[in-house]
Amino acid sequence: MKKQKEERLLTETELELMTLLWKRGEGSVADVIADLPAGRELAYTSVSTILRILEQKEVLTTRKEGRGHVYIPAITKDEYESRTVHHMVERVFDGTPMALARQLLQTTHLSKDELTELKKMIAQLEKRP
Amino acid sequence: MSMTNLFFSLHLLVVVATLCSFVLRRLSLSSAGELKLHYLILVLALVLPFVLLMNPLDSSFAPLTKSFTAQTLREYDQPFVLQAPVEKIAIGSLAPTGLDVTWLQTLVVGFMLLSLLISLWAVIKEVRSIRHILRDAHVLRRIRKATIVCSDTVSVPFSFLTPWHAWVVIPTSFLTDSSLTLISIYHELQHHRQRDTAWQYVVLTLRALVGVNPFMSLFDKIISEAQELKVDSTLVDEGKVRASDYAQCLLDVATNACVGQKPLVCATGLAFLTDRQSLTRRIENMFQLKKNGSWNVGALAIALTLFMSALAFKTGQAIGSPGLTMEEAQALLTNTPTTFPLEMNGDVLHQLNRTLQTVQGRQEMRQALKRLERHRALVESKIQEYGVPQELIAVPIVESGYRNLAQHENPSHGAGLWMFIQSTARAYGLRVWDGVDERLDEAKETDAAMRLLKAEKIRFGKWPLSVLAYNAGDRVVTKGIFKTGSRNAWVLIRHGYQGDKHYLAKLTAAILIMKNPSLLE
């Protein structure tokens, strides 16, 4: 298959497994299964296949360890969050970040501390040349 | 005109194919047998109209089965007895329908082009869609010439075939359920094993030709259902999948399908049939015991082939062109100078239109006139030598279509261009013994025919009676003249004194068409 485009997002299950790996740092298939919440039943082969697909998507890299593989995130959570926001701005908000920001402020309730932090971030951005 | 009949034939066969398939669904057949019969119907509906287009059957001018023709002078004094009943075998041509198809032809071409364009566009769109899917898909497994991939962009599994590879596409969301993944893969691979994905292209071809026909969608659906039922029963009967797991998988996939992708015409899919009736039928079928079927599939196949072939043949020439009215035919006769006396009547008009109004008739006449050209120099030279009317060059058109035909198994049949029977041939100096048949010598037989026609003209005094005697024998003509008191050939014919029915009418029609070849356009 051709190289995955950077703007491709992960599926729900892929994101779930990536979140576990981001927390853990790296892990094998068994490690990921062990970290799954109670009641979330995924077969070994399913998790193995999904991690392999994530490797093909270049979101994970692998290291051979003994008879198995250890999977290491190739992108950080921050990078993925940035990618997701970029995707959302381009695809949902017609390339207008302001529309996303407006929607975010209108639909979510930010606490006073969060608003203060947001103002600080805006002030820092304004100081940049 | 052939295009019109092809169009008509294709569409009618699609309707009939759909009805036959619908009936087959109701019979107690095994899923394998039912699917094979559906495929047979599909092939017949697609192929038969083209086969008939390329191989038109002889019709108007098939050699007539004669008991005798050109009676000899030597038999004149023997009691008048017909040696065998005169039978005619005329295969093919329908009576003229009288439909005006000038506008129809334009409409037909338009419809066919529209169908082709719509189908082509659908295929192009789907190829692009499949390429897009494959571009972002991930390989799960490669098995010889098959590749199983998973894709984020599909919601139901499907499979398709390219000339170089078999593909199975599974939604990525299925990977969380190993049972669902496994069943889907088994199912789609079974489609490849059954060659369903290859047959899709045959369906596609037929759809391209008759796409505007609403029955095509129904026919396609019946075939798809039969394919799915065969896959279902194979997997369950072979124990690869438990019926309960399979049914659950089908429901889960159907749920996805309701909100997901449109079925592709180039592909087969686990849940492309998501309507309640089809799903119910499939799930019920899974839990039934293996059906052997109480109908003989082979006998049904033969019956279907014969039925559809007959239908294709009949519809292949159902539409003709406008024939001549009596007034037009009279005018044609008036404006056609001849030395052989011609008469226009209902019989002649019927024979004219029988040729002009059917595809087969016109085609056969064109071919006969073409063959006449190869023999024209020889026949005209003999005509001039014996002082016979020029128009009688048309006699072999009626007799043999200007084919130099060999002796049929029945010795009472004629041979050669002029269809002399053995006794007459020998009486006129042609050798027909010891493996030699000079009737097939075109120059010798033509010479004999001229002598015979001239002899009959001398006997009866009129060329029409000479021709009548050439076909029926001079005893028939003599008796006819005696009984009717008339020397008008048509009077004799009307009183039943003739050989092959409509012989003089056919000859008259052939002469008129020969002298007015634009009638065949």
Side-chain angles (χ1 to χ4, degrees), chain B residues 445-517:
Chain B
E445 199 194 31
T446 302
D447 189 87
M450 293 300 118
R451 283 184 281 121
L452 176 53
L453 284 165
K454 200 67 192 280
E456 302 295 4
K457 167 64 166 60
I458 293 168
R459 181 196 303 279
F460 298 113
K462 292 188 173 187
W463 284 112
L465 289 174
S466 165
V467 165
L468 196 62
Y470 178 89
N471 176 249
D474 50 13
R475 279 181 290 163
V476 171
V477 175
T478 303
K479 191 173 180 186
I481 293 171
F482 178 70
K483 290 286 185 185
T484 63
S486 170
R487 284 184 167 268
N488 185 316
W490 290 105
V491 171
L492 267 64
I493 287 168
R494 278 192 277 278
H495 284 81
Y497 294 99
Q498 58 179 332
D500 300 314
K501 279 191 183 151
H502 312 300
Y503 185 85
L504 191 56
K506 281 187 177 173
L507 178 64
T508 307
I511 291 169
L512 286 170
I513 294 172
M514 181 181 69
K515 286 184 165 282
N516 298 277

Side-chain angles (χ1 to χ4, degrees), chain B residues 324-355:
Chain B
L324 299 176
T325 61
M326 180 54 84
E327 291 72 30
E328 286 167 341
Q330 288 281 11
L332 179 72
L333 188 74
T334 308
N335 296 327
T336 304
T338 62
T339 52
F340 181 84
L342 299 178
E343 179 178 311
M344 180 55 62
N345 52 44
D347 198 7
V348 174
L349 180 64
H350 177 80
Q351 294 303 322
L352 257 179
N353 284 330
R354 196 165 171 262
T355 302

Side-chain angles (χ1 to χ4, degrees), chain A residues 16 25 33 38 50 52 67-68 86 88 94 99 110:
Chain A
E16 188 184 354
I33 289 171
I50 294 170
R52 218 165 13 95
R67 291 171 66 183
H86 179 76
M88 197 172 289
D94 300 324
L110 296 176

